[in-house]
Amino acid sequence: MSKEKQFVKEITPQNEDFSRWYIDVIRKADLMDYAPVKGCIVFKPDGYELWELCQRELDARFKETGHRNAYFPLFIPESFFMKEKEHVEGFNPELPWVTEAGGEKLEERLAIRPTSETIIGHMYSKWIQSYRDLPLMINQWANVVRWEKRTLPFLRTSEFLWQEGHTAHETEDEARRETMQMLEIYRNFVEGFLAIPVIVGQKTPSEKFAGAVDTYSIEAMMKDGKAVQAGTSHYLGQNFAKAFDIKYLDRENQQQHVFTTSWGVSTRLIGAIIMVHGDDRGLALPPKVAPTQVIMIPIGPAKTRDQVVDRTYELQKQLKDAGIRVRVDDRPDQSPGWKFNEYEMRGIPIRLELGPRDLENGQTVLVARTGGEKRIVSQEKLVEEVGRMLDEIQQNMFIQAKAFMDSHFYSVDTLDEMKQRIQQERGFFLAGWCGSEACEHQVKEETGATSRNIPFEVKEHKTKCLVCEESAKHTVVFAKAY
Amino acid sequence: MSKEKQFVKEITPQNEDFSRWYIDVIRKADLMDYAPVKGCIVFKPDGYELWELCQRELDARFKETGHRNAYFPLFIPESFFMKEKEHVEGFNPELPWVTEAGGEKLEERLAIRPTSETIIGHMYSKWIQSYRDLPLMINQWANVVRWEKRTLPFLRTSEFLWQEGHTAHETEDEARRETMQMLEIYRNFVEGFLAIPVIVGQKTPSEKFAGAVDTYSIEAMMKDGKAVQAGTSHYLGQNFAKAFDIKYLDRENQQQHVFTTSWGVSTRLIGAIIMVHGDDRGLALPPKVAPTQVIMIPIGPAKTRDQVVDRTYELQKQLKDAGIRVRVDDRPDQSPGWKFNEYEMRGIPIRLELGPRDLENGQTVLVARTGGEKRIVSQEKLVEEVGRMLDEIQQNMFIQAKAFMDSHFYSVDTLDEMKQRIQQERGFFLAGWCGSEACEHQVKEETGATSRNIPFEVKEHKTKCLVCEESAKHTVVFAKAY
């Protein structure tokens, strides 16, 4: 680490300017850099590691539920997009086009994939002939591109990394169960692994995926009260099956169109982790997704240094053998105080200090990134205590984030009320909605908030539309969103 | 699996038509499909799984040696390619260009990356300021595109998957050591994990990477005698450092250009696994890279079926718990004979049969894909015996492939001799070479073989150039290549 890095300016406080805070944190914690291509970023090692841990965990969950990975081409012929009307309308404005290759102008333009329903639909129509080929359940880890006008590192970039699951089924019922299963896997992962509480629900028609029958989402609340759509699962019905002629011979020997689903999460999760858990001191990483869970810092004067450092490495080995991700920082040219600040800023869940007195007493000192008392722990029980503390931190981070979300969740009856409150309060707004696109649009125009989803569970069912005051068809969560 | 799959035509014998054999095998084993985009393929789950296992193993080895993963943009501005003269000449003919995006014509064309030296060079010039920032050792797992005229599934496709390592160092010496370290990691991985013996050596100047000072490769011999370049490691000197202005303040406070390396392996390894180990019955997978290492097939009449199947699953659990990748095929509608052929064709290393008599005797039958006697093994020692047998198969597959390579390795003195022999024999040809590009070119023109590399170890040092008969500067391996 170069000296220069120490002189990055201080982090802007969240309350002063949340956007600046965000950029300060991701730059100072070295998670990303801007790329020399519009709207693209470089995922630096400390940022990419967060994605690797998400990948590993999700991949295991997908495989447990019978999905297998495959890889489809980056390029999609223009004619493929034309086959599903809503799909082309939704994605066309965002596509980059390859028009020349290998020194020649192409006969047909190739889009860089923004998502792969079309090319996968084309392949599935070749692969599926009989009910015996179903269900077909494939996932892909890939880069996708959507040429965005306004970009924000991790949360909205022209190129991003994601996974996209694509499944085909015999019946609507089975496809709908798959859609819900994957939504639940996302909820469980985001809440349990990333410690981010979410609102689970269905998107309104105007916010659903281009080409889907129904789109479901999990929505998370950032510390500025804005929403991040953290994952989506789509029931596509027979829309893509009909557009791409994906048919199978059913058990009665009849040709039928399959029912398909698709579902995805992306590197925007990294942005959500930062904005949900970070504070004015920097990042705060939930232990399960923290690339380093424990940073060990040997301290004390030069004459006891070797002894302390040796013992630190012995203890590190014990922790490592127990599956804990642990690093030692024994650089002599940086002060302990500097290191404390540094690793706090980088969000490492536990700092372990070991000095000559600790050595004498057979103990170590543990400090949680999220605060609370220093804990003096016997070296003999270190592995057990660190494990317990990581679990506690993970749980507490979820509880804190949940408390934040709950206390920034408002119920409003009229658009006027919402307009007033949204000027004073950051958060989510629960309101009744008649179901008309016009009323939904008016909310957006007048408040800047969009409908996030129609939650499956609400504390309160609204009876009147906040705009037209007709009877409410749904109770909807509105919020400004990334 | 649909009935249709059973009626795929038989596999063409290797001796009849090796190319057709290859396509028959990868289609019948369901590893890939052709994509509706020129030169691109779909990696189907059974093919992709091979890559996932390669990735997992290599990723661990890269991390053990201090490398970290990151992700750089897919798009490279045209001006970046212009900065390194050899590089642009080498890659320009193969680039696809994005000229429009988001509904507008771009001011500067964007290439789809064929490799990332240029964009990574640009980023490194921002990240590296001082010797304290060195070495910088980053790897990227990514898709890359090279618009190929003649393509072959896995071995040469327009889009492929790979990893590319990019490192920057203070000194030439350190960069050269890194180049060699990665070459050795590749050799060890390809020989030890994929059971593919390789010739390790240096590329001749005309075959080196566009922009490198020195390129090193490992070259494997397919069963038709042709070579596959299975991995390359490049010492780039200061070429890219100068083109992209990657400078650091050294320990004497002087500005210096860094020394860089890059190294990569790709999904063409999948093609090599198939062509080195496959035979007329289909695939043969080395246990370490086999997604399924043991296929368990319960057999016998209906009345004992339940008992046999139950015991099969009990034994599967034991094997699984020991870390062995094992599947059961208990479908009642397929005969054991059909299953034996099917899994032989798919290259699964061990078939385990369990019938009612085996149940009585507390034994199972093990059959290796690579041949040899059936082994009757006590169920009590099953885990141990299967583990031992997998090790044996892995070793034997390497030994067999090595014996094949050694017996198809010819030493020639003159171009005439080589021309004659290459018409009769498939394999590699060791010959002396004066070092002139003209002689190298003549070999290619008259035999179709290219210089593969200058091996580090040879049994015999040639003294005269096979073409001009001047004194030989190097002893070179020539071969036809994929």
Side-chain angles (χ1 to χ4, degrees), chain B residues 75-243:
Chain B
F75 301 114
I76 303 180
E78 182 164 18
S79 55
F80 281 44
F81 272 97
M82 302 304 156
K83 293 193 181 180
E84 216 292 330
K85 194 173 149 288
E86 282 188 18
H87 195 68
V88 65
E89 281 170 12
F91 284 105
N92 220 15
E94 297 178 352
L95 299 177
W97 293 100
V98 174
T99 58
E100 303 160 29
E104 291 171 10
K105 208 167 148 52
L106 298 178
E107 285 180 24
E108 181 177 15
R109 296 196 298 174
L110 300 173
I112 308 291
R113 66 180 159 221
T115 180
S116 302
E117 278 75 9
T118 56
I119 196 143
I120 292 180
H122 173 86
M123 298 312 299
Y124 279 15
S125 74
K126 294 173 66 182
W127 298 348
I128 295 169
Q129 272 118 35
S130 141
Y131 69 90
R132 290 185 203 85
D133 300 320
L134 298 173
L136 184 55
M137 308 209 292
I138 286 181
N139 176 62
Q140 165 170 279
W141 293 98
N143 54 341
V144 285
V145 179
R146 297 174 187 180
W147 214 253
E148 299 281 358
K149 290 226 160 39
R150 284 190 311 166
T151 57
L152 187 62
F154 299 124
L155 286 170
R156 192 172 294 275
T157 51
S158 288
E159 182 187 8
F160 56 95
L161 303 176
W162 80 344
Q163 61 67 216
E164 48 181 323
H166 296 269
T167 69
H169 306 266
E170 282 185 74
T171 63
E172 166 166 357
D173 191 51
E174 193 184 297
R176 284 194 177 276
R177 259 185 284 130
E178 167 77 4
T179 310
M180 290 303 156
Q181 170 182 258
M182 301 323 290
L183 187 69
E184 170 56 17
I185 283 179
Y186 290 155
R187 185 204 62 74
N188 189 290
F189 166 75
V190 171
E191 296 201 327
F193 198 79
L194 306 182
I196 297 176
V198 292
I199 305 293
V200 188
Q202 182 170 357
K203 287 284 189 188
T204 62
S206 70
E207 295 283 334
K208 73 178 168 58
F209 176 76
V213 173
D214 292 316
T215 287
Y216 302 88
S217 75
I218 52 173
E219 304 279 339
M221 188 190 291
M222 306 300 103
K223 274 197 180 159
D224 62 350
K226 287 169 80 173
V228 164
Q229 178 179 293
T232 49
S233 186
H234 316 292
Y235 168 64
L236 305 173
Q238 295 179 312
N239 291 352
F240 286 89
K242 285 178 179 164

Side-chain angles (χ1 to χ4, degrees), chain A residues 109-171:
Chain A
R109 297 195 299 173
L110 299 173
I112 308 292
R113 65 177 162 225
T115 180
S116 302
E117 278 75 9
T118 56
I119 196 145
I120 291 179
H122 174 86
M123 298 313 297
Y124 279 15
S125 74
K126 295 174 65 182
W127 299 346
I128 296 169
Q129 274 115 35
S130 143
Y131 69 89
R132 289 186 202 84
D133 300 320
L134 298 173
L136 183 56
M137 308 208 293
I138 286 181
N139 176 62
Q140 165 169 279
W141 293 97
N143 54 341
V144 284
V145 179
R146 299 176 186 179
W147 214 253
E148 300 281 0
K149 292 227 157 42
R150 284 189 311 165
T151 58
L152 188 62
F154 299 123
L155 286 170
R156 191 172 294 275
T157 51
S158 289
E159 182 188 10
F160 57 96
L161 303 176
W162 81 344
Q163 60 68 217
E164 47 180 324
H166 295 270
T167 68
H169 305 266
E170 283 185 74
T171 63

